[in-house]
Amino acid sequence: MTNLVLFGPPGSGKGTQAAFLIEKYNLIHISTGDLFRYEMSNDTSLGQEAKAYMAKGELVPDSVTIGMLRNKVEKHPDAQGFIFDGFPRTIPQAEALDALLISMGTEVSGLLSLDVGEAEIVQRILKRGETSGRSDDNDEVTVRKRIAVYKSETAPVFDHYALTHKSHSVNGLGTVEEIAGRLSEAVDALRKH
Ligand code: ADP
């Protein structure tokens, strides 16, 4: 299996690039942000629980997020691999993912981190907020909070996978096609090993 963690700060282009990579490598895309938004739009109890955290730019608690992720993975027993987008966002989430994949006889193949500077991502998210209907994209205070949470809680996940030489940085500036090309090169290199 090819199991990719698509990593990077909010607004770094993970969703856009995931759409390309799932086609090219025939993988299942799992975005925890999309899963939460789906639950919210259906007003489920999970959605209601996630809503307050998301609106403030905070992380939804690991206990909720990990269970949701596991359920989703288990719905695809025949998958050739997964792209995890927006997960893991904390060290406990990374440890839970590692344990889940081990139980399936597989592992994370690599983590690809889209490098984009802070000024650029704030601009991108506020622009997305004009049309996305996402309240967490509209307000600069919430956007800055998400970036702060990324630095303190999520960035250590890069180091977690670097310990086993699985973390790779990819320049996230340029056209969608240029970035897709860089990611493809990185994925092809991973799959050779
Ligand atoms: P972005 O990458 O632009 O921040 P996402 O759609 O990935 O957007 O996430 C939106 C929000 O959903 C996050 O700010 C957070 O509140 C919640 N969320 C998404 N994934 C996770 C996760 N793995 N753990 C905790 N909260 C999450």
Side-chain angles (χ1 to χ4, degrees), residues 10 14 32-33 37 54 58 60 86 89 93 128 134 146:
K14 300 184 292 289
T32 43
R37 281 185 287 276
M54 290 176 74
E58 293 172 6
V60 180
R89 257 177 157 97
Q93 290 182 16
R128 180 171 74 183
R134 279 178 58 172
R146 282 157 63 198

Side-chain angles (χ1 to χ4, degrees), residues 167-188:
S167 292
H168 305 275
S169 288
V170 173
N171 178 358
L173 292 179
T175 65
V176 170
E177 292 76 19
E178 282 164 350
I179 300 163
R182 290 175 202 140
L183 286 170
S184 295
E185 272 178 36
V187 175
D188 291 340

Side-chain angles (χ1 to χ4, degrees), residues 11 18 28 40 50 57 66 70-71 80 85 89 97 114 121 128 145 154 157 160:
I28 303 285
M40 275 163 47
I66 290 168
R70 193 182 295 128
N71 282 338
Q80 296 188 22
D85 163 3
R89 257 177 157 97
L97 178 64
L114 289 170
I121 60 181
R128 180 171 74 183
K145 170 77 182 171
T154 305
V157 171
H160 171 84

Side-chain angles (χ1 to χ4, degrees), residues 8-12 14 31-34 36-37 50 53-55 57-62 65 85-90 93 125 128 134 136-137 146:
S12 56
K14 300 184 292 289
S31 156
T32 43
D34 287 351
F36 284 131
R37 281 185 287 276
Y53 295 101
M54 290 176 74
E58 293 172 6
L59 296 182
V60 180
D62 285 341
T65 307
D85 163 3
F87 186 97
R89 257 177 157 97
T90 63
Q93 290 182 16
I125 296 173
R128 180 171 74 183
R134 279 178 58 172
D136 63 339
D137 281 351
R146 282 157 63 198

